[in-house]
Amino acid sequence: MKYCVIGAGLAGLVFGAMAVKDGHEVVIYDKNPVPGGVLALCEVGDYRFEQGPLLMCDLLPGEPMSNLLAEFGIHLDLMRADRNVEMPDYSMHRPEQYEGPYWRRERLKQLFPDDAAGLDAYYRFYDRMMRVRYHLNRKLSPGSTLALAASFLPVARYARMTAQELVEHFFKDQKLQALYTGILADYCADPREVWGLAVPLTNLETGFDDRIPLEKNGKHVLGGFGYIRGGCQKIAEALADYITKNGGVIKLNTVVDRVLIENGTAVGVRLANGSQEKADVVAGSGSGRDFFGNAVGMEHLDDGYRRILETYRPMEAVFMVHAGVDFDPVKVLGTALCYCYGSYDLSKATERLRAGQYHDGEDGFLLFIPSYHAPEFAPDGKHCLTVYTVAPDTLCDGDWEAKKELYADHLLEKAERYLPDLRQHITVRKIMTAADYREMTHMRKSSFGGTVPVWHQKNPPHKTPVKNLWFIGQQSENGGGLWR
Ligand SMILES: Cc1cc2nc3c(=O)[nH]c(=O)nc-3n(C[C@H](O)[C@H](O)[C@H](O)COP(=O)(O)OP(=O)(O)OC[C@H]3O[C@@H](n4cnc5c(N)ncnc54)[C@H](O)[C@@H]3O)c2cc1C
């Protein structure tokens, strides 16, 4: 069968590789000059920067994504990753000497003695959730389904809570609650709208100290985060290589503007240059609203699918400053990734974000050093630093192009709280706004990272009402990666 895949981002490449492996003829189209979508690198002078994923979950050896890639003969060179957290008036830094898997619990008990019992209870619950996660990640079989059900029973009563209710159940102090919900800012999500069990699943303790063992009794039971040595675009390169070596074709600098549909069945695609290509199966990625609104046509959908397209919530945007620097930020920060929060009230911050109010760095940002796992991204003796934060797709006052230089100055100034005199050590800088991400992803709006994991809200399903048409990628039903 012939498959036409729209988009050579992570989704299109994985889909294409699977189709090639199954013996199908595959053509992938992408408007960009290189495959990868947001995995592609950004070059600034002698420096290179990552524009998409920082670190990946489930990709370490033996974990589900690594097993999937192994089916294509792809074995990435990974290093375990962790991060520090800066709250407005306390910090969680990976201890210099390893203090065991529960070091955060013990340190938090010292900072929040009134919450000591709650912390013990949370970590008992967390350990149970890690058992659930382990069984969820195993291949489905009657035995594993039973084990999953048994592991879920002790945590079932928490499954009715939102993230906010869950942290309020365990902790009294808002400053402590925010430590566990803070990560939801990455998804532009309000803790009042996210499923409670997402809290332990997005706060893997292994993500705060890469020395916490992933194995118990010789079995790989805990999830970990990893950096890909040489950068995340290595996944795109390896998948593209697999596809083309196995007969697939990737057509770059090529925009698809229409899915051809006859009698409710997808039969091919029309390119922006007017040419047409017939296909037995079409898969589209990118923005759900753009894809179905423009390339497919809403008239081909049923009411149910249309309703999902109207109601699902894509994430907003990012504001990012890449800087080449003449010092090693890892030596100052003690880590290659640092989450710096400026507010304890994530609900208010999310409300502002959705109203188009950019927080100008006040609500928080990330410090990320890509040259840690990819030293070749910077010239000898230099390093790469990315400072970034979630931001509205569309500003309520002014536009990104006009404001970006000023906002970049403010963000770097705030970063100096953790990297003193940073601005005096910058050799090159590049600013990325919502507009740049729209261009890179071929989306008209909300081009950052996927969908907000709003509990009970459906994202566009892979299977569409049009026969032989599939929707894949960051805005499809997997929930932007938060839940499989
Ligand atoms: C700043 C940032 C940080 C992130 N951090 C993480 C992280 O730490 N961990 C993690 O797991 N994930 C992270 N993500 C999310 C992850 O990167 C994305 O979910 C994933 O890479 C998206 O892949 P995709 O193929 O769905 O979309 P994309 O990467 O957007 O690729 C889609 C491609 O399709 C092309 N395209 C679309 N429509 C057409 C058309 N009609 N014709 C031709 N081409 C078309 C686009 O140009 C693009 O190249 C992050 C994302 C961003 C932006």
Side-chain angles (χ1 to χ4, degrees), residues 7 9-11 30-32 37-38 51-55 254 256 440 473-474:
L10 195 50
D30 200 293
K31 69 167 276 249
N32 290 332
V38 298
Q51 312 184 86
L54 316 178
L55 36 79
T254 307
V256 173
M440 194 193 320
Q474 51 165 298

Side-chain angles (χ1 to χ4, degrees), residues 6-12 29-32 36-39 51-57 254-257 285-286 318 320 388 437 439-443 447-450 473-474:
I6 305 162
L10 195 50
Y29 305 91
D30 200 293
K31 69 167 276 249
N32 290 332
V38 298
L39 302 185
Q51 312 184 86
L54 316 178
L55 36 79
M56 310 279 266
C57 204
T254 307
V255 172
V256 173
D257 68 5
S285 61
V318 282
M320 195 176 250
Y388 91 87
Y437 272 90
E439 177 60 29
M440 194 193 320
T441 58
H442 197 60
M443 291 188 194
S447 49
F448 162 54
Q474 51 165 298

Side-chain angles (χ1 to χ4, degrees), residues 285-327:
S285 61
S287 152
R289 287 182 188 133
D290 293 350
F291 180 64
F292 290 99
N294 305 322
V296 174
M298 298 295 265
E299 68 278 12
H300 294 293
L301 306 179
D302 57 30
D303 286 348
Y305 208 96
R306 268 198 292 265
R307 205 166 25 255
I308 294 172
L309 285 174
E310 279 158 17
T311 52
Y312 84 100
R313 185 182 274 286
M315 280 153 61
E316 285 282 326
V318 282
F319 181 67
M320 195 176 250
V321 186
H322 297 307
V325 292
D326 64 6
F327 70 105

Side-chain angles (χ1 to χ4, degrees), residues 217 220 291 337 341 353 393 453:
N217 306 327
H220 186 130
F291 180 64
L337 177 61
Y341 294 98
L353 184 71
D393 174 85

